[in-house]
């Protein structure tokens, strides 16, 4: 490589380094990225001892959540279920046209967002098998329900009661909510079901 080409390559590397150095904190270079730039310029970065935490630094120590950082965004709750979606470069983009080398993966940038999954309605089918012999017929028994012979299960009754008394959502509005799931329930059914369920659970709790 002649001197002019080497100077052009070094100038291009310096411009990239300056843009990364003055960019946002999330875009600033890591040690691995600096090592790639150094290798491209024919330099070697010496091994450094781990730096002591600087009390004046704005960066939180490793493992810190940043909850107490003024003006910072609070981390999303850790107890929520997480789904990882990976976004990779296309194979054609994993090759550098300047140095004619394949790019190497050196890290990842992670961001999080909330997504809401609407409630779902499902039907539980209780199949009670029947057996018989010459003198006896026996049928399996299903678990007892808060309201026997009702089409409302315990979880549905609990949702209606909590929404009505804790969230102050009137029953006629809940009827419309369930209608969007394709479940047609009358106002009378909604009024009778939770009332019977409360009475049953009250008797069960009181013994």
């Amino acid at each position: 490589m002649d001197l002019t080409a080497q100077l052009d390559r070094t100038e291009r590397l310096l411009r990239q380094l300056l843009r990364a150095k003055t960019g946002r904190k999330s875009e600033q270079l890591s040690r691995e990225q600096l090592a790639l730039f150094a290798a491209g310029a024919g330099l070697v970065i010496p091994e450094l001892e781990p730096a002591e935490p600087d009390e004046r630094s704005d960066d939180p120590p490793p493992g810190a959540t940043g909850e107490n950082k003024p003006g910072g965004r609070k981390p999303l709750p850790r107890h929520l279920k997480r789904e990882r979606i990976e976004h990779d470069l296309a194979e054609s983009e994993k090759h550098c046209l300047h140095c004619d080398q394949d790019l190497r993966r050196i890290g990842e940038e992670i961001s999080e967002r909330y997504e809401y999954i609407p409630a779902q309605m499902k039907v539980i089918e209780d199949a009670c098998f029947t057996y018989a012999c010459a003198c006896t017929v026996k049928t399996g028994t299903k678990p007892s329900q808060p309201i026997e012979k009702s089409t409302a299960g315990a979880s549905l009754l609990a949702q209606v009661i909590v929404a009505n008394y804790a969230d102050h959502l009137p029953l006629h509005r809940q009827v419309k909510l369930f209608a969007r799931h394709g479940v047609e329930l009358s106002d009378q059914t909604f009024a009778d079901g939770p009332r019977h369920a409360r009475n049953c659970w009250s008797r069960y709790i009181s013994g």
Side-chain angles (χ1 to χ4, degrees):
M1 183 181 296
D2 56 24
L3 182 60
T4 302
Q6 179 65 33
L7 289 175
D8 291 341
R9 185 177 182 182
T10 302
E11 183 181 356
R12 185 174 66 254
L13 288 173
L14 287 175
R15 286 198 301 267
Q16 294 175 358
L17 284 171
L18 287 174
R19 283 198 301 267
K21 186 64 178 177
T22 58
R24 295 183 305 173
K25 185 172 295 185
S26 61
E27 298 176 349
Q28 292 182 5
L29 295 178
S30 64
R31 181 172 179 79
E32 290 80 7
Q33 291 170 314
L34 288 173
L36 287 179
F37 279 112
L43 303 176
V44 177
I45 297 181
E47 293 293 333
L48 298 177
E49 295 295 330
E52 294 294 332
D54 188 355
E55 296 180 356
R56 297 170 298 176
S57 175
D58 292 333
D59 297 331
T65 60
E67 294 182 355
N68 297 326
K69 183 177 178 181
R73 176 181 295 178
K74 293 184 179 180
L76 305 191
R78 299 304 304 173
H79 69 275
L80 295 178
K81 181 180 179 181
R82 276 167 166 73
E83 176 184 352
R84 178 182 172 92
I85 301 177
E86 297 182 345
H87 308 278
D88 202 355
L89 292 175
E91 291 299 325
S92 59
E93 297 181 299
K94 295 181 180 180
H95 188 79
C96 181
L97 299 178
H98 298 292
C99 62
D100 197 30
Q101 293 183 358
D102 291 333
L103 302 181
R104 293 177 293 173
R105 180 176 172 178
I106 60 173
E108 61 183 21
E109 294 184 4
I110 297 178
S111 60
E112 295 183 330
R113 66 180 186 270
Y114 284 115
E115 289 292 347
Y116 176 74
I117 301 177
Q120 299 178 349
M121 288 285 289
K122 66 178 181 180
V123 176
I124 301 296
E125 183 181 85
D126 291 307
C128 301
F129 296 131
T130 301
Y131 295 84
C133 65
C135 61
T136 303
V137 177
K138 292 183 178 180
T139 302
T141 56
K142 64 179 181 179
S144 60
Q145 299 296 313
I147 305 177
E148 294 299 337
K149 299 182 180 181
S150 171
T151 57
S155 60
L156 176 59
L157 293 172
Q159 169 62 29
V160 173
I161 293 173
V162 171
N164 188 197
Y165 291 94
D167 301 332
H168 307 289
L169 188 62
L171 294 178
H172 69 276
R173 292 187 181 178
Q174 295 191 54
V175 170
K176 295 179 181 179
L177 290 177
F178 286 105
R180 290 203 291 266
H181 292 278
V183 179
E184 298 294 337
L185 298 173
S186 66
D187 294 347
Q188 186 62 36
T189 301
F190 257 64
D192 292 342
R195 186 184 305 115
H196 289 311
R198 290 197 309 274
N199 295 336
C200 292
W201 289 341
S202 296
R203 290 196 299 268
Y204 175 79
I205 294 174
S206 61

